[in-house]
Structures are given as structure tokens and as C-alpha cells.
Amino acid sequence: KNEVEQSPQNLTAQEGEFITINCSYSVGISALHWLQQHPGGGIVSLFMLSSGKKKHGRLIATINIQEKHSSLHITASHPRDSAVYICAVRDTGNQFYFGTGTSLTVIP
Amino acid sequence: NAGVTQTPKFQVLKTGQSMTLQCAQDMNHNSMYWYRQDPGMGLRLIYYSASEGTTDKGEVPNGYNVSRLNKREFSLRLESAAPSQTSVYFCASSWWGLSAFFGQGTRLTVV
């Protein structure tokens, strides 16, 4: 059972391109999180959202509660954005469910 | 620095050996978690502690035990390591309305 599905699994982009990563979930949630994991590295929380849209620098996250769908957008992508992006949802019991991640490579 | 501190970063064990992974957070979070991350799979919950003195099994608890020593510390113990437990382990903490904070991970190899 996969409570959280992400697409695409892998993504290669040229520097400067606009990037979209999608996340669909099947459980009732209290919040959705977007996480970033660099190679060999730890996991960092980028966004936590329960409705609407959030923006931080070149990153934008949106969520549609009715459709159970979220997107992470990266504008003007840069090689340092290369990482695995993970969608996670927190259910009403304070448990997290994670997608398998989207591996992004941005080529100079 | 505030955050989640997890030790060790790397460990190699022989089959049958035991070890304890340590985790501490200084953000006064009630909830703490242990996950494992394997290639091609999302993070999977091993054990969860909603508050000091309570622990609950997650999706993959077999072969592991945990202790919530106090509000800050949540340790994960492998009593008799098996090659199937080769993985990257992450400790995390959170509370309602807050983001999850993760430790740096422990890369464990069981040979």
C-alpha cells in the first residue's frame, strides 16, 4: 500500500528550467511536508502546508486538499538544487507517510 | 545548535552482534521517531514515541527495540543484527503544527 505517490521518480533539467514535482496521497491529513535530501546527507524540511500555497525563495509549494494533491515547483533551477525531494503527509494521528522521492539532477 | 543529534554516523556489524543507535533532540518535542531508508522505498517507520514513557510499533519493528529514556532521548537497539537490517536509519522529532526535524542518519552495514 502506498499512501503517498510521487512523480516523476527521476528528473533531469537544464539550469534555469522551471521544475514541477507532484505528490498524491490517499489518507486524511493534518499537514503535508516537502523534504530535501542531498546525496549522503540528512533530510531537511522545506515546507509544511495544510492549505493553499507557500513560497520560499525559488521554491513554491501548493496543495489542493479536495484533490489530495500537492506540487513543488522550482523556478530558475540551479545545479545546487540537485537532490532527492520527498513528499510526506502527517495524518490525524501524528504519523508520517513518505513518498519514495524524486531524484532531481540539474545540469549546468 | 538546536536540532536532532544522532550517533553514530557509520557502523559495520557482524551478524548476531548488538548495538544501540542514540538520538537526542533539544527542541522540547513530544514525538520522536525511528525510520529506516532503503533504496527504492520511502522512509519506513520502525518505532514511534508520542511522549516520554510511551512507545509504539511502526511498520517494520521486528528485530528492533526502543527506549524513550526521557523527553530528549530516544534510542534504537538491534539485539542480534541481521544482513536485512543493513540500511540508513534516521531519527526524527516533531510535534503538532511543527515541521519534522531529522538527524543526520546512521549508515549501518551488517555483514
Side-chain angles (χ1 to χ4, degrees), chain B residues 7-14 17-21 78 81 85-89 105-111:
Chain B
T7 57
K9 285 199 75 172
F10 301 95
Q11 183 73 50
V12 178
L13 290 178
K14 292 183 178 178
Q17 285 185 318
S18 62
M19 78 162 294
T20 300
L21 281 66
L78 287 70
Q85 294 178 304
T86 293
S87 188
V88 181
Y89 292 84
T106 297
R107 191 172 293 274
L108 174 67
T109 302
V110 183
V111 298

Side-chain angles (χ1 to χ4, degrees), chain A residues 82-105:
Chain A
S82 298
V84 175
Y85 292 84
I86 301 170
C87 174
V89 299
R90 189 207 304 253
D91 71 10
T92 52
N94 205 28
Q95 294 294 334
F96 288 89
Y97 300 92
F98 298 85
T100 54
T102 295
S103 179
L104 171 65
T105 303

Side-chain angles (χ1 to χ4, degrees), chain B:
Chain B
N1 290 337
V4 179
T5 303
Q6 184 181 337
T7 57
K9 285 199 75 172
F10 301 95
Q11 183 73 50
V12 178
L13 290 178
K14 292 183 178 178
T15 298
Q17 285 185 318
S18 62
M19 78 162 294
T20 300
L21 281 66
Q22 307 286 353
C23 177
Q25 53 91 10
D26 57 5
M27 296 170 284
N28 205 36
H29 290 165
N30 281 39
S31 298
M32 297 186 74
Y33 313 80
W34 275 106
Y35 297 98
R36 60 179 288 173
Q37 186 180 41
D38 299 294
M41 306 185 79
L43 286 153
R44 292 184 292 168
L45 181 66
I46 304 171
Y47 269 95
Y48 162 63
S49 172
S51 61
E52 182 180 350
T54 68
T55 60
D56 289 290
K57 293 179 181 179
E59 183 183 352
V60 289
N62 291 344
Y64 305 95
N65 285 300
V66 290
S67 294
R68 183 74 183 268
L69 304 168
N70 46 54
K71 193 169 188 179
R72 290 188 65 246
E73 297 172 291
F74 188 38
S75 61
L76 178 72
R77 182 159 178 85
L78 287 70
E79 290 291 352
S80 179
S84 60
Q85 294 178 304
T86 293
S87 188
V88 181
Y89 292 84
F90 286 95
C91 176
S93 73
S94 185
W95 191 229
W96 292 107
L98 301 176
S99 295
F101 289 82
F102 291 82
Q104 284 298 300
T106 297
R107 191 172 293 274
L108 174 67
T109 302
V110 183
V111 298

Side-chain angles (χ1 to χ4, degrees), chain A residues 44-60:
Chain A
V44 175
S45 180
L46 296 174
F47 292 102
M48 182 182 73
L49 63 165
S50 54
S51 65
K53 175 178 167 178
K54 285 191 176 179
K55 185 174 189 291
H56 185 241
R58 295 179 293 104
L59 273 60
I60 302 166

